[in-house]
């Protein structure tokens, strides 16, 4: 299994849709997880941190299933401005040291 | 909101030349990192730095690469003799402590000719 694996997409959805992204990771010792978003040729920006079973922030919900080594990100009521690449990121070895990035899932929200 | 700043935003250099990429991490952060992203590929870890020394480095970070924190605020990445394959976006990141996430600068685009 790859260290961090994501469906590359693209996901093309209309405004207002609900969309979910999945991510699997191989290191069972990892304790925390992050979703970053990256706009084209820009830096990764932190979207959500996931430390326990999940986290919710407005339209965004992240869920963690440690037994299956699986993290998801749900976006409700999609906006045009949500169009970006969503990166699943796992710190290695639980020491919060180096980050292992997934290749990202591309989302395109259209009117 | 405090942020990580990087200079220059774009660096064009001839192959074989030395480059220095500069970063100013967030002021109360303790851990510093460099990552790179080749166009169309995923972000890759290069090196982490804590307490004035390298704490971990990847296979990419060979003898051509070095990092320094010369004055307590800047954090630099030097590539001694650049190769064509060093062309990429280079991101600096920093974090405070514990489980806090890393915050990224807006990157330096390095183009090797």
């Amino acid at each position: 299994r790859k260290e961090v694996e994501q469906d590359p997409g693209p996901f093309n959805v209309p405004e207002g849709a609900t969309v979910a992204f999945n991510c699997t990771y191989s290191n069972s010792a990892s304790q925390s997880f992050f979703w970053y978003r990256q706009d084209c040729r820009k830096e990764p920006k932190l979207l959500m941190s996931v430390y326990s079973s999940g986290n919710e922030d407005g339209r965004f919900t992240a869920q963690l299933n440690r037994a299956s080594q699986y993290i998801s990100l749900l976006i409700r009521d999609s906006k045009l401005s949500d169009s970006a690449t969503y990166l699943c990121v796992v710190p290695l070895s639980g020491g919060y040291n180096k980050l292992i990035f997934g290749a990202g899932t591309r989302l395109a929200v259209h009117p | 909101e405090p942020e990580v700043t990087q200079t220059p935003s774009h660096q064009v250099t001839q192959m074989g030349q030395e480059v220095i990429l500069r970063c100013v991490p967030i002021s109360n952060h303790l851990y510093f990192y460099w990552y790179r992203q080749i166009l169309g590929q995923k972000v890759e870890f290069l090196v982490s730095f804590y307490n004035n020394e390298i704490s971990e480095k990847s296979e990419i970070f060979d003898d051509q690469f070095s990092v320094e924190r010369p004055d307590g605020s800047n954090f630099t990445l030097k590539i001694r003799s650049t190769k064509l394959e060093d062309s990429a976006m280079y991101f600096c990141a920093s974090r405070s402590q514990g489980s806090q996430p890393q915050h990224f600068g807006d990157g330096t685009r390095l183009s090797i000719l």
Side-chain angles (χ1 to χ4, degrees), chain A:
Chain A
R1 181 188 262 187
K2 286 184 185 175
E3 288 182 297
V4 181
E5 196 155 8
Q6 297 181 250
D7 180 345
F11 285 63
N12 294 301
V13 303
E15 275 186 290
T18 295
V19 62
F21 307 137
N22 303 322
C23 171
T24 56
Y25 60 94
S26 61
N27 185 355
S28 59
S30 295
Q31 295 296 309
S32 66
F33 308 87
F34 304 104
W35 283 101
Y36 283 74
R37 73 169 273 168
Q38 186 175 31
D39 294 290
C40 189
R41 295 183 177 238
K42 299 286 190 183
E43 78 275 20
K45 288 188 175 170
L46 180 68
L47 182 64
M48 296 186 78
S49 303
V50 189
Y51 298 113
S52 56
S53 61
N55 193 10
E56 185 171 329
D57 183 4
R59 298 183 295 110
F60 299 86
T61 301
Q63 290 195 314
L64 168 63
N65 183 325
R66 289 188 191 275
S68 303
Q69 293 177 213
Y70 167 98
I71 314 153
S72 64
L73 177 68
L74 183 78
I75 305 176
R76 287 180 295 277
D77 188 22
S78 301
K79 312 286 184 200
L80 295 176
S81 57
D82 293 335
S83 297
T85 297
Y86 290 82
L87 307 175
C88 178
V89 183
V90 180
L92 198 63
S93 304
Y96 313 116
N97 217 355
K98 75 180 191 186
L99 299 180
I100 306 299
F101 283 78
T105 299
R106 206 149 48 89
L107 171 66
V109 182
H110 58 82

Side-chain angles (χ1 to χ4, degrees), chain B residues 26-85:
Chain B
I26 294 172
S27 64
N28 63 345
H29 283 189
L30 303 175
Y31 299 83
F32 313 110
Y33 307 84
W34 283 100
Y35 294 82
R36 79 170 186 191
Q37 186 175 30
I38 294 170
L39 189 63
Q41 298 186 23
K42 63 182 180 179
V43 178
E44 301 173 286
F45 168 80
L46 290 178
V47 65
S48 59
F49 193 85
Y50 171 71
N51 202 25
N52 283 320
E53 60 182 21
I54 290 174
S55 49
E56 189 173 0
K57 57 184 181 180
S58 72
E59 290 176 356
I60 303 167
F61 195 90
D62 61 22
D63 292 344
Q64 294 301 313
F65 291 84
S66 62
V67 288
E68 253 192 337
R69 190 160 158 78
D71 56 12
S73 62
N74 290 284
F75 179 50
T76 61
L77 174 69
K78 182 194 290 187
I79 310 175
R80 257 181 287 280
S81 178
T82 49
K83 307 181 187 67
L84 293 176
E85 55 265 36

